[in-house]
Amino acid sequence: MQVRGSSELPPDFRSRAVFFPGPPACIRGQQPTPLVRLAFRKGVFQVFSQDRQQMQQYYIAAFVPILVTTLWLYTAHIARAGFPKLRNKRICLLIAHPDDEAMFFAPTVLALTENGLGNHVKILCLSSGNADGLGATRKKEIAASASLLGLRSADDVFVIDDDAFPDAMAKTWDATKISTVLSSAFSGSSNGGSSSSARADNNGPTATIDVLITFDEHGVSGHRNHISLYHGAVAWVRALMRGHGGWECPVTLYTLRSTNVVRKYLSILDAPFTILQCVLQSVRAGTAAERRNKERMPTRLMYLSDIGGYRMAQRAMTEAHRSQMRWFRWGWIAVGRFMVVNDLRREKIGS
């Protein structure tokens, strides 16, 4: 055995020394084959590729909420600035059950009750929602919900508890009876608003409201009680004008447009499509006569809640309508389109 000084190194030291991890061939002091070098490089590339993919996933996860929030605020701004508003109107929201005002019409009610618009909004509910024996509780809940949504006082909420209007999915309410209720409430007549209405005079028909808002002919969810309100409202407006041909109807009827099931659960993501749809329909109807009519009473109304309005609508359900917060309604208030977006159409009613 030869003993060398500490400063001396074996001749083959460089070939056997390992300073960095590498292929096993390096450890044995042998030159790695091309196949080994390729396998080593491929392994390193896979590691870096996996890390890069993971980072991309993190970036996407962080970017999506920012994108959705930005889109939400931008579309809410467009809806506020680009669509007409109702001002200084006496407005009635006609609904079938306590909680309809929060689950379906919250964006509309919040927008119409904004300070500075001068609107006076009332809610007329044709049943107490007593299907589960909670009618008395639900009457209190709708008053609390209306307060959160901006109504002036509990006196602006009217709930009818009548056997003629049972809370039942499969029950169709009589349109004539609904018309009679509306007439007694807003036209001063109990006969469905006939030509002998006490509120009609030589100057034409009159009413104590300017705007009536309710469901359309599909009722959003297909609920027969909802659909009945549309037919009852149309019947009342027609009866109001009976015997007054040539006069302008004192009440404008707006209905909430139903959507297909996919759009119904898109929440805020449906807003751009709704805005585009409203704009295209407005352009399509853009004759001079139509524009003059829009200046008086708009053909379309679109209301889009911002984040604060959306949270208020959720509170109207979770804090006011506590008796109705079953598991499926948590899903509705999370992703339901009508909690955020309302698209209303003015109905053209013939005689």
Side-chain angles (χ1 to χ4, degrees):
M1 176 177 181
Q2 296 181 356
V3 179
R4 300 179 179 178
S6 59
S7 61
E8 297 183 24
L9 297 174
D12 61 346
F13 174 79
R14 291 184 181 277
S15 63
R16 289 188 289 108
V18 180
F19 296 97
F20 302 98
C26 295
I27 298 176
R28 298 193 301 270
Q30 302 173 1
Q31 291 295 328
T33 65
L35 184 61
V36 171
R37 286 199 299 268
L38 178 63
F40 177 71
R41 291 171 182 172
K42 186 176 180 181
V44 173
F45 175 77
Q46 287 178 344
V47 171
F48 281 109
S49 178
Q50 291 174 357
D51 288 344
R52 185 167 55 189
Q53 290 176 356
Q54 194 172 32
M55 289 302 297
Q56 288 175 345
Q57 292 174 354
Y58 291 151
Y59 288 145
I60 292 173
F63 179 69
V64 168
I66 297 174
L67 177 62
V68 172
T69 302
T70 303
L71 177 67
W72 188 343
L73 296 175
Y74 179 67
T75 51
H77 172 73
I78 292 177
R80 286 175 174 269
F83 286 88
K85 298 180 179 181
L86 299 182
R87 300 177 182 273
N88 302 314
K89 301 298 182 184
R90 300 166 297 176
I91 303 168
C92 174
L93 173 63
L94 177 64
I95 59 177
H97 320 100
D99 75 12
D100 286 349
E101 82 293 342
M103 290 181 61
F104 303 108
F105 292 95
T108 296
V109 178
L110 286 168
L112 293 175
T113 55
E114 282 185 6
N115 293 330
L117 293 181
N119 297 316
H120 188 180
V121 180
K122 297 184 178 184
I123 295 176
L124 175 59
C125 183
L126 292 195
S127 81
S128 61
N130 198 37
D132 298 322
L134 298 173
T137 298
R138 299 191 69 182
K139 287 180 180 178
K140 297 177 182 178
E141 289 178 342
I142 190 175
S145 172
S147 177
L148 287 172
L149 295 177
L151 267 68
R152 296 181 181 180
S153 71
D155 293 335
D156 289 327
V157 180
F158 303 89
V159 180
I160 294 177
D161 199 353
D162 193 316
D163 292 338
F165 307 118
D167 177 10
M169 281 282 296
K171 183 66 175 179
T172 299
W173 295 344
D174 187 275
T176 303
K177 292 181 179 179
I178 297 174
S179 175
T180 299
V181 170
L182 292 171
S183 182
S184 63
F186 304 121
S187 62
S189 172
S190 61
N191 59 2
S194 67
S195 58
S196 61
S197 170
R199 300 293 299 177
D201 55 26
N202 294 332
N203 294 322
T206 61
T208 58
I209 60 172
D210 305 306
V211 176
L212 180 64
I213 300 173
T214 192
F215 295 95
D216 69 359
E217 64 271 25
H218 303 293
V220 175
S221 60
H223 199 305
R224 291 192 179 182
N225 293 170
H226 297 174
I227 296 171
S228 299
L229 296 184
Y230 168 80
H231 294 290
V234 170
W236 175 59
V237 173
R238 284 177 177 164
L240 191 65
M241 292 302 296
R242 192 173 298 127
H244 298 285
W247 293 95
E248 182 180 357
C249 184
V251 177
T252 302
L253 175 62
Y254 286 99
T255 56
L256 179 65
R257 308 314 298 159
S258 299
T259 64
N260 59 50
V261 67
V262 175
R263 290 183 59 194
K264 189 161 67 171
Y265 294 101
L266 282 180
S267 188
I268 186 60
L269 298 179
D270 186 66
F273 180 79
T274 302
I275 290 176
L276 180 61
Q277 187 180 45
C278 290
V279 170
L280 291 177
Q281 291 177 351
S282 297
V283 170
R284 201 174 294 129
T287 62
E290 189 72 16
R291 291 194 187 99
R292 286 195 298 270
N293 196 36
K294 282 182 182 180
E295 292 176 359
R296 187 168 58 252
M297 290 301 290
T299 301
R300 302 294 292 260
L301 295 171
M302 194 235 174
Y303 298 115
L304 173 60
S305 294
D306 57 15
I307 297 175
Y310 174 55
R311 288 293 300 126
M312 188 61 70
Q314 288 182 322
R315 287 182 58 197
M317 285 300 300
T318 59
E319 296 180 15
H321 291 289
R322 293 183 180 179
S323 70
Q324 301 305 298
M325 287 309 298
R326 302 171 186 174
W327 66 268
F328 55 89
R329 288 202 172 93
W330 286 101
W332 175 263
I333 68 173
V335 298
R337 166 194 187 270
F338 293 92
M339 294 289 293
V340 188
V341 183
N342 279 175
D343 170 23
L344 305 179
R345 182 184 70 184
R346 192 188 73 218
E347 296 290 336
K348 297 179 181 180
I349 302 173
S351 57

